[in-house]
Amino acid sequence: MASNDLNGRELRGGIDLGGTKIQAIVIDQEHRVVASARRPTPTRGDARDVLNALGATLDDATREAGIATRSLAGVGLGTPGAVDARRGTVVNAGNLPGFGEVVPLAAMLESATGVNVQLGNDVGVALDAEARLGIGREFPSFVGVWWGTGVGGGVVLDGQRWLGRGAAGEIGHTVVVRDGAICPCGRRGCLEAYAGRRAMELRVRKLAERGVSTILFEVMEKRQRDRLTSGVWARALEKRDRLALRTIERAIAALGAACASSVNLLDVGAIVIGGGLGTRLGAPYAQLIAEAMQPHLFRPQSPPAVRVAELGDLAGAIGASLLAFDVARAAR
Ligand SMILES: [Zn+2]
C-alpha cells in the first residue's frame, strides 16, 4: 500500500469550493479528518484568484497535518457549476469570479500542487459522502436539501445517487408558488427564490432600504463581512431580529412545501438538511422544517425523518476526498 507519512497513513486532500468559503481537509484512509482549514472565497478577480485561494487553503490544512501538500496521495475538489469530471473542467459556476466560462480547474490545481486532482460537483460529492459515511448507513434512500447561497439537492435511492439524465435533484427549483418570487435562475416561484441565502439577502436589502428596521447589516459590518453569511443570519435570529425571523419563517414554509412534495413523490425515509445555512442553523431548524412539511404530506401519519447532515459542514470536503480515494483504489 502506498504510504505518504511517517505513520504509514495514506493521506488525501478534500476541498469544498463554496460561494462564501473554501474548506480544505486532510483525511486518512479510514476517512478520519486529520486537519482542516478554511478561507473566504474571493469575490473579485478571475479564476486564477480562486485557484490561488484553493492552493493556500490546502497548504494551511497540510501544514496543520505536518506534511507537504505535494506528498498527498491525491486531492478531490468539489465545485459549484456543471462539472465534466473526465476532462476536469467546470462551467457556469456563476457565483465565482471568472467561472462563467469553461475553467480547466483540475489541471490548474494539479500544476499548482503537483498532486493528482479529481473534480466533482459540490452538492453531489457531499451527498455521496452522506450516503456512504453518514445518514445513508441508517436510511438507504433519502433526499438531500443543501440550504446555502442557493438551494441544491439530490436524491439517493437504495444507496445510489439518482442522476436522471445528469441533472436530477434540483429541489431548489421545484415550484412552491406559481408565478411567485423571481428566482436567481430567472424563473418564478422556485424554492430557492424564498430560501436561498442570495435571494433572501436581496429581499432584506430592499426592505431595509424602504425603512424596515433590522440588525442584520450591523451584525454583518461588525463581523467585517460584505454579505449576509450563515453566521450573520444565525446571530440576528438569536437576537430575535424581526425581519430575520420573518424571512427565515418564509424560507421554512417554502422548504416544508418542497420537501413534503418530494416525499409524496419518492417516499424516501429521510430528508437530510445540509449546506452552509442548514448546518449552521442545525437541528432546531430541521425540526421546524419537519413541522412545515406535515400539512403537505399525503401520508401525514408516517412522516420521514428530517435530519441535519451527519458530516455537518465538512460533508462537501469529505465527499470531495472520496473522489481521490476511489481513483486511488481503482488504480491498484
Ligand atoms: Zn429557480
Side-chain angles (χ1 to χ4, degrees), residues 172-173 183 185 190:
H173 303 283
C183 182
C185 79
C190 303

Side-chain angles (χ1 to χ4, degrees), residues 172-174 182-193:
H173 303 283
T174 51
I182 292 254
C183 182
C185 79
R187 294 166 192 85
R188 278 184 180 276
C190 303
L191 168 60
E192 185 169 310

Side-chain angles (χ1 to χ4, degrees), residues 52-70:
N52 290 341
L54 289 170
T57 316
L58 185 59
D59 287 343
D60 291 346
T62 52
R63 199 175 307 119
E64 194 195 312
I67 59 163
T69 298
R70 66 177 178 284

Side-chain angles (χ1 to χ4, degrees), residues 41-126:
T41 305
T43 51
R44 288 183 233 344
D46 57 20
R48 176 77 33 197
D49 296 286
V50 175
L51 175 77
N52 290 341
L54 289 170
T57 316
L58 185 59
D59 287 343
D60 291 346
T62 52
R63 199 175 307 119
E64 194 195 312
I67 59 163
T69 298
R70 66 177 178 284
S71 70
L72 289 170
V75 171
L77 170 59
T79 169
V83 170
D84 184 331
R86 205 170 46 80
R87 292 200 171 90
T89 60
V90 59
V91 67
N92 279 337
N95 290 326
L96 298 169
F99 277 61
E101 298 170 8
V102 176
V103 179
L105 195 54
M108 287 167 80
L109 191 61
E110 258 175 34
S111 67
T113 59
V115 181
N116 178 273
V117 175
Q118 300 296 321
L119 210 58
N121 172 264
D122 56 350
V123 175
V125 299

Side-chain angles (χ1 to χ4, degrees), residues 2 69 82 97 114 126 146 176 209 223 238 250 256 275 292 310:
T69 298
W146 253 238
V176 292
E209 274 164 25
R223 296 187 173 209
E238 276 165 29
R250 184 169 173 266
E310 275 184 29

